[in-house]
Amino acid sequence: MSTKENHTPEEVLKNNEAENTQENTETAENNNTENQTNEKEAEKELTAEEKLNNELEETKQLLEDYKDKYLRLSAEFDNYRKRTLKEKAELIKNGSEKAITAVLPILDDLERALQNMQKTDDVKAMYEGIDLIYQKFLKNLGHEGLTKMEPIGESFDTDFHEAIALVPTQEEDKKGKVLDCVQTGYKLNDKVIRHAKVVVAQ
């Protein structure tokens, strides 16, 4: 037979207080745990916000750097474009300076030849003097890349020749050949600047 344990009112009160204290402690611990969790989540949120702010600042700085580089590059290109246009204009304006400088000695020779022609009636001497000037002229122009065409006897070629007349011939080996040159053709550095006007056998 079981016996019911009897407690005094003081013991019952103490037991109730102990139970209440334990419950309050557990509740407090639970509250502390929740607070710590909330604080950690808040810290995480702040950290993420700070991270975004840092990334935003870095992006702004990078954008400023790119903008500065773009402005510098744009200014440099604009200066280069202006300088190139100026150089091109000067080249067009003074491009013939070298060729004219090469011709000036020939001009001096022609002036002297004209003066001498007034003092002599020797046609042969005058011819020889003019021929010397002519050869000197060709030589100077040759230094500038000019080449005189010698088309007589060559096969007719539309890349170099312009036929102004066709002459019938019975000789097969002369057909399609240049018989005569009416106007001399010239090449400048292997580029045809004037076609030779020729008479062609057919």
Side-chain angles (χ1 to χ4, degrees):
M1 184 175 177
S2 60
T3 58
K4 187 175 181 180
E5 197 171 312
N6 295 323
H7 296 285
T8 63
E10 289 82 3
E11 290 176 344
V12 172
L13 182 61
K14 286 181 180 180
N15 289 335
N16 289 337
E17 288 177 355
E19 289 176 358
N20 290 335
T21 302
Q22 185 176 358
E23 288 178 359
N24 291 336
T25 301
E26 290 177 355
T27 302
E29 289 177 353
N30 291 335
N31 289 336
N32 287 336
T33 302
E34 290 179 1
N35 290 336
Q36 289 175 358
T37 303
N38 292 335
E39 287 176 359
K40 287 181 180 179
E41 290 178 355
E43 287 177 0
K44 288 181 180 179
E45 290 178 0
L46 289 175
T47 302
E49 184 178 352
E50 290 175 355
K51 184 178 180 181
L52 288 175
N53 286 333
N54 291 337
E55 290 178 354
L56 181 60
E57 290 299 324
E58 290 175 0
T59 303
K60 286 181 178 179
Q61 184 60 45
L62 190 61
L63 183 61
E64 287 296 324
D65 292 342
Y66 282 139
K67 182 179 179 181
D68 183 64
K69 289 180 181 178
Y70 168 76
L71 291 175
R72 290 177 182 274
L73 183 62
S74 179
E76 288 177 4
F77 177 76
D78 189 53
N79 290 336
Y80 168 77
R81 183 180 59 83
K82 290 178 180 178
R83 185 172 63 253
T84 303
L85 288 175
K86 183 179 179 181
E87 290 174 355
K88 185 177 180 181
E90 290 178 354
L91 183 63
I92 293 172
K93 182 179 179 181
N94 302 317
S96 58
E97 179 180 353
K98 186 178 179 181
I100 291 176
T101 302
V103 170
L104 290 179
I106 312 301
L107 186 60
D108 295 336
D109 290 343
L110 287 172
E111 288 178 352
R112 283 191 290 268
L114 289 172
Q115 292 173 359
N116 292 330
M117 287 171 66
Q118 295 176 352
K119 300 175 183 178
T120 181
D121 294 329
D122 190 346
V123 177
K124 184 178 179 181
M126 287 189 290
Y127 172 82
E128 290 175 351
I130 296 296
D131 185 60
L132 286 174
I133 295 172
Y134 172 71
Q135 296 301 328
K136 183 178 180 180
F137 190 35
L138 283 180
K139 184 178 179 181
N140 284 11
L141 291 177
H143 291 157
E144 301 301 321
L146 187 73
T147 305
K148 179 182 177 182
M149 295 185 193
E150 301 289 349
I152 297 177
E154 293 182 352
S155 297
F156 177 73
D157 188 341
T158 55
D159 289 338
F160 304 101
H161 311 140
E162 178 185 346
I164 61 170
L166 298 174
V167 177
T169 181
Q170 300 298 325
E171 301 178 39
E172 291 296 328
D173 60 334
K174 288 187 177 181
K175 287 186 177 180
K177 302 284 186 179
V178 176
L179 297 178
D180 190 20
C181 181
V182 178
Q183 186 180 73
T184 306
Y186 292 96
K187 293 187 292 183
L188 183 62
N189 297 321
D190 295 326
K191 177 184 177 182
V192 176
I193 60 174
R194 189 173 80 178
H195 290 72
K197 293 184 179 180
V198 297
V199 177
V200 183
Q202 66 171 0

